[in-house]
Amino acid sequence: MAEGRKIVALVVAAGSGTRAGGGGVPKQYRNLGGKAVLAHAVDQLARAGADEIRVVIGLGQETLYAEAVGDRPLPPPILGGAERRISVLNGLEAIAKDGGADIVLIHDAARPFLYLDVWERVIAAVEDRALAVPALNTVDTTARGGETLGDPVDRSDLLRVQTPQGFRFDLILAAHRAWAGGEATDDAQIARAAGHEVAVVRGDPRLDKLTYEEDFARAEALLAALMVSRTGLGFDVHAFADGEELWLGGVRIAHDRGLKGHSDADVGLHAVTDAILGALGDGDIGTHFPPSDPQWRGAPSSRFVEHARALVEARGGRIDHVDLTLICEAPKIGPHRPAIRTRIAALLQVPEGRISIKATTTERLGFTGRGEGIAAQAVATLRVPEGE
């Protein structure tokens, strides 16, 4: 980008298409690899270098949008219209009202995979020729037809046009304002109708739009191929104390003593939290929930586990397995093992088959052997996108 230029990415997420299934949820809000398709698109644009990201949503999608973007630092969404063209124009007008831009990249929310090389090619072409789109050559035989096959079409000069489409902001805003041709298939069509030449740069097959259920299966496979496995280890210990409740693995257990700690002292959930944070390379439980902070006094440790899970999801990762070992002479863990497993699986939102609960003693050696407290060790295996 030339020095001092402002690049705004405009994400069009106002559609209501459900051809991909998803139980009636528009495809841009469907879960893909732990987060919404829209969130993938926004994160990729942010990594590529957009100075600002604006999102256009449909009427009634406010809750879906808020859940999809979470706490990402985005301006308020822009309300779209009944047609894509109107949604884009509403977005461009909002950008203009807020000070405009030098370059705008208009991107479909249903294209979650944007790679830096495509971004750089589009930006370079816009700086050189004012308007540019990524596209791919058509390699399959192309023919007319409906229920029966018709005549083949010469594919030598056919292109599959993708997004993000890049434009000098003033040119595409003026072209949209002047458009009078009904619905348009994309913004390059509107630019060409205004008399502008649109440059073509090489796109990427991974940029294809998600439309049908099989597209989501392909996207999940692509995400899996791009993920790396990480393992974290968590360890915690708490001493017994009179007058305290005993919580282990998110389950209250009847016992003559509980564990002493700033929160509810659930040694099992503390170890699980630290294991997940360790796999993420994101500090430890004390970093996120300092014992010096009074708001965590007596807090349920389930909140710590849910926080760690949310961090995994925010990075587009997934939890593959958690193995927790509780170390104590008493109480006996065996009778409570199924309930603990069920509770931890629910907190992490994974099947119970991905959770292992074990118990052991130290043969009456050390502080646990003397019945002075309980220790816990946990191992968490995650997959996160490469580079996270």
Side-chain angles (χ1 to χ4, degrees):
M1 182 181 74
E3 193 68 29
R5 285 205 171 177
K6 180 181 179 181
I7 300 178
V8 176
L10 180 63
V11 183
V12 187
S16 59
T18 56
R19 282 179 290 179
V25 176
K27 58 190 175 185
Q28 65 270 28
Y29 299 113
R30 279 188 58 178
N31 185 287
L32 177 65
K35 61 183 180 181
V37 171
L38 170 61
H40 283 281
V42 166
D43 290 346
Q44 295 285 0
L45 289 164
R47 291 191 187 100
D51 296 307
E52 185 177 293
I53 300 172
R54 303 299 303 270
V55 181
V56 184
I57 67 172
L59 181 65
Q61 295 179 353
E62 291 82 0
T63 300
L64 288 171
Y65 169 80
E67 292 173 350
V69 303
D71 58 359
R72 291 170 177 80
L74 298 175
I78 302 159
L79 189 62
E83 300 175 349
R84 183 187 186 280
R85 173 186 58 84
I86 297 174
S87 295
V88 174
L89 178 57
N90 288 358
L92 294 173
E93 295 286 9
I95 294 170
K97 182 179 179 181
D98 292 340
D102 296 295
I103 294 174
V104 61
L105 273 76
I106 304 173
H107 189 50
D108 295 329
R111 300 180 191 266
F113 304 118
L114 169 63
Y115 294 90
L116 184 60
D117 55 348
V118 176
W119 167 278
E120 291 175 340
R121 287 195 290 269
V122 172
I123 294 295
V126 172
E127 289 178 336
D128 183 46
R129 299 180 60 181
L131 306 98
V133 300
L136 296 172
N137 293 110
T138 301
V139 296
D140 296 320
T141 297
T142 304
R144 295 183 176 86
E147 295 184 358
T148 60
L149 186 65
D151 294 332
V153 177
D154 182 7
R155 65 175 186 263
S156 61
D157 58 352
L158 295 180
L159 295 173
R160 290 196 292 123
V161 181
Q162 301 176 313
T163 72
Q165 299 184 355
F167 308 95
R168 225 176 69 190
F169 179 75
D170 57 339
L171 295 183
I172 194 61
L173 176 59
H176 265 273
R177 286 173 172 173
W179 174 260
E183 180 58 358
T185 58
D186 69 354
D187 304 289
Q189 179 185 353
I190 292 174
R192 292 182 66 250
H196 301 295
E197 289 189 353
V198 180
V200 176
V201 301
R202 189 173 75 257
D204 191 309
R206 295 169 293 186
L207 257 176
D208 286 346
K209 185 186 292 187
L210 304 184
T211 302
Y212 300 103
E213 191 62 39
E214 55 265 31
D215 297 331
F216 275 81
R218 171 180 53 81
E220 288 283 2
L222 178 57
L223 274 178
L226 295 173
M227 284 185 165
V228 294
S229 181
R230 290 184 177 183
T231 300
L233 175 67
F235 180 81
D236 196 36
V237 58
H238 283 282
F240 279 122
D242 294 329
E244 300 284 349
E245 294 180 342
L246 178 60
W247 288 86
L248 290 176
V251 175
R252 183 181 175 182
I253 295 175
H255 194 57
D256 58 351
R257 292 181 295 171
L259 294 174
K260 182 180 179 180
H262 187 65
S263 62
D264 65 5
D266 189 326
V267 65
L269 292 190
H270 292 184
V272 169
T273 301
D274 262 350
I276 295 172
L277 293 174
L280 289 175
D282 201 358
D284 57 24
I285 196 170
T287 304
H288 293 260
F289 304 97
S292 58
D293 190 336
Q295 70 172 308
W296 306 121
R297 183 177 302 279
S301 297
S302 57
R303 295 176 62 182
F304 307 158
V305 176
E306 290 172 329
H307 172 76
R309 186 203 74 225
L311 292 177
V312 176
E313 293 173 349
R315 298 192 189 186
R318 62 189 66 188
I319 298 171
D320 281 336
H321 192 259
V322 168
D323 183 15
L324 170 64
T325 302
L326 296 168
I327 308 166
C328 60
E329 295 293 330
K332 296 298 182 182
I333 302 301
H336 308 287
R337 190 194 314 264
I340 293 173
R341 187 186 197 196
T342 297
R343 179 58 175 155
I344 293 178
L347 291 173
L348 296 178
Q349 297 182 7
V350 300
E352 289 188 24
R354 298 187 189 179
I355 305 298
S356 171
I357 307 298
K358 304 197 301 290
T360 190
T361 71
T362 55
E363 300 295 334
R364 300 193 179 278
L365 299 174
F367 76 93
T368 60
R370 293 189 296 270
E372 297 172 2
I374 298 177
Q377 179 173 286
V379 177
T381 304
L382 319 177
R383 279 180 292 163
V384 296
E386 191 170 7
E388 282 287 347

